[in-house]
Amino acid sequence: MSRHKGLFICFIGIDGSGKTTQARALDLALKEDGIRSRYVWNRFEPGLTRPLVAVGRKLFLRRKDIYRDYDGYFATKRRLFGNRFLSSSYRCLLWLDCLYQTTLKIGLPLARGETVICDRYLYDTVADIAVESSYSEAQVRTAVYRYLTLMPRPDLMFLIDLPEETAFRRKTDIPAIDYLARRRQAYLYMSREKEMVLLDGTSSPDEIKKVVMSKVKELCQAR
Ligand code: ADP
């Protein structure tokens, strides 16, 4: 049961999966139908976490280049996240940043009755944390549950899944295939939640859009 008037629909998945393509297409289709819809690019932006991230980069990651040596970069980051104090402080500030950004970008438009089409949501942030902290499936689920505290719950969530090799070929700014492979695993853990709609990212954009539109139609009829 939704607690807001407008619909809240999210697209999540690895880079290159087609989230922006589908989110923009849905936003346009809803607008053409006369629905007050808003596309929101919701990649996490550091706020309170910024000083901690800056210090961490300067002290530990200064000589690491994610594009030239992804394995070395990843190993250092994982060691940092192995420090319980650092990782708990970081996660706590991260949640506050997410809460602030989510309230502004998503909570307010929803409260005004707009439909929000979100390109990335908290699940994507959890996927990043899961990779850096080597979470198991149970830990990923617990993190999702905790991070959603006080955040709007999506009415519909689409996870676009595809082989990491295919996604890697679609973009030029992805550090490494492993970067995608590790995140894909975290998303697949989340996809076992019953309310998530799994889309085949290897289908054509039009085919995916057809499935999206039919799910949105079903949701509108059910409300
Ligand atoms: P994301 O937002 O998930 O990073 P994008 O929507 O930006 O992905 O898509 C990345 C690239 O892949 C773009 O060039 C886009 O045109 C292309 N693309 C998106 N969806 C598909 C698809 N289903 N099949 C083939 N190419 C796609």
Side-chain angles (χ1 to χ4, degrees), residues 4-53:
H4 33 256
K5 281 188 286 166
L7 290 177
F8 178 25
I9 301 170
C10 300
F11 288 86
I12 66 169
I14 56 176
D15 288 329
S17 56
K19 300 179 294 295
T20 304
T21 306
Q22 292 304 324
R24 287 208 178 274
L26 175 60
D27 177 51
L28 194 66
L30 293 179
K31 283 192 169 93
E32 283 169 359
D33 268 0
I35 294 172
R36 228 158 31 107
S37 165
R38 171 191 288 253
Y39 165 87
V40 174
W41 162 248
N42 195 41
R43 184 168 211 138
F44 172 73
E45 303 281 349
L48 291 170
T49 40
R50 195 181 289 272
L52 201 62
V53 170

Side-chain angles (χ1 to χ4, degrees), residues 7 9 11 22 26 29-30 33 156 158 197-199 206-222:
L7 290 177
I9 301 170
F11 288 86
Q22 292 304 324
L26 175 60
L30 293 179
D33 268 0
L156 200 48
F158 293 106
V197 178
L198 194 61
L199 298 170
D206 280 348
E207 280 168 329
I208 301 173
K209 187 179 163 196
K210 255 188 227 155
V211 180
V212 168
M213 292 309 295
S214 82
K215 291 285 174 191
V216 172
K217 215 172 174 180
E218 263 174 38
L219 174 66
C220 291
Q221 281 163 355

Side-chain angles (χ1 to χ4, degrees), residues 45-62:
E45 303 281 349
L48 291 170
T49 40
R50 195 181 289 272
L52 201 62
V53 170
V55 171
R57 284 221 173 105
K58 204 151 188 92
L59 288 181
F60 305 102
L61 294 164
R62 202 166 20 136

Side-chain angles (χ1 to χ4, degrees), residues 74-149:
F74 178 68
T76 309
K77 233 178 158 186
R78 209 173 235 192
R79 265 201 307 281
L80 274 176
F81 274 81
N83 179 310
R84 284 184 73 174
F85 174 74
L86 262 185
S87 66
S88 315
S89 315
Y90 176 74
R91 279 197 295 258
C92 190
L93 293 173
L94 185 79
W95 180 79
L96 285 170
D97 272 350
C98 288
L99 184 62
Y100 170 73
Q101 285 170 28
T102 303
T103 305
L104 274 189
K105 287 186 181 174
I106 299 163
L108 291 180
L110 284 176
R112 287 196 294 263
E114 289 178 51
T115 281
V116 175
I117 313 298
C118 213
D119 183 348
R120 296 180 162 264
Y121 194 40
L122 285 163
Y123 304 83
D124 300 277
T125 307
V126 170
D128 287 340
I129 298 170
V131 168
E132 281 148 4
S133 306
S134 319
Y135 278 174
S136 65
E137 178 163 0
Q139 286 171 312
V140 168
R141 282 162 182 258
T142 307
V144 166
Y145 178 77
R146 287 206 182 126
Y147 269 81
L148 276 171
T149 309

Side-chain angles (χ1 to χ4, degrees), residues 125-216:
T125 307
V126 170
D128 287 340
I129 298 170
V131 168
E132 281 148 4
S133 306
S134 319
Y135 278 174
S136 65
E137 178 163 0
Q139 286 171 312
V140 168
R141 282 162 182 258
T142 307
V144 166
Y145 178 77
R146 287 206 182 126
Y147 269 81
L148 276 171
T149 309
L150 299 181
M151 309 278 183
R153 305 282 163 135
D155 296 294
L156 200 48
M157 240 182 317
F158 293 106
L159 167 61
I160 311 182
D161 181 57
L162 76 175
E164 50 274 13
E165 294 82 5
T166 312
F168 188 70
R169 280 195 297 273
R170 288 183 185 169
K171 285 190 129 175
T172 53
D173 60 351
I174 300 171
I177 289 193
D178 270 358
Y179 174 94
L180 295 179
R182 294 193 171 110
R183 280 164 179 74
R184 184 181 179 206
Q185 181 58 67
Y187 285 112
L188 289 174
Y189 287 155
M190 295 180 209
S191 75
R192 297 181 191 152
E193 293 293 322
K194 60 182 181 315
E195 67 264 28
M196 207 169 275
V197 178
L198 194 61
L199 298 170
D200 176 4
T202 61
S203 306
S204 74
D206 280 348
E207 280 168 329
I208 301 173
K209 187 179 163 196
K210 255 188 227 155
V211 180
V212 168
M213 292 309 295
S214 82
K215 291 285 174 191
V216 172

